Amino acid sequence: MTGAPVVLLHGWPSDPRDHDGVAAALAASGCRVLVPWLRGFGNTKFLDLKTPRSGQQASVGADLRDFLDALSIDRALLCGYDWGARAACIVAALWPSACAHWFL
């Protein structure tokens, strides 16, 4: 998909399915829609056993930044609520160039 990247971030205790309706509408309009599980939700797996198991804001924000980096996304629209909003805020504050816009 070559459209503008949009990352929809869920909150606690929910999951990415909260965004099913809006994700479909954004995709239909040509956006590249990404709806990841946040740390500790779903089938979270850590590639390195030494990775700290933490729900701290810095960890959740770093996960989002690493997610964007792994997909070679330089800038994305970030949209989230609850824990997802925390992740978006951390990325917006620490790596503002990664944010096209952010909505909470």
Side-chain angles (χ1 to χ4, degrees):
M1 168 88 34
T2 59
V6 177
V7 182
L8 303 175
L9 302 156
H10 69 88
W12 183 89
S14 203
D15 64 52
R17 298 183 74 82
D18 284 352
H19 299 296
D20 285 354
V22 71
L26 288 167
S29 73
C31 293
R32 178 182 179 193
V33 181
L34 303 153
V35 193
W37 285 96
L38 293 178
R39 174 186 288 243
F41 293 86
N43 293 323
T44 298
K45 293 185 180 171
F46 294 93
L47 299 177
D48 185 342
L49 293 176
K50 295 177 186 170
T51 301
R53 279 29 175 203
S54 171
Q56 292 179 332
Q57 290 183 26
S59 298
V60 177
D63 288 348
L64 176 54
R65 182 212 51 212
D66 292 346
F67 176 75
L68 295 172
D69 287 348
L71 296 173
S72 298
I73 296 173
D74 294 325
R75 289 173 53 94
L77 184 146
L78 305 177
C79 181
Y81 69 93
D82 196 60
W83 279 41
R86 288 175 41 188
C89 285
I90 293 300
V91 171
L94 299 179
W95 303 283
S97 64
C99 301
H101 299 283
W102 53 280
F103 298 94
L104 310 173

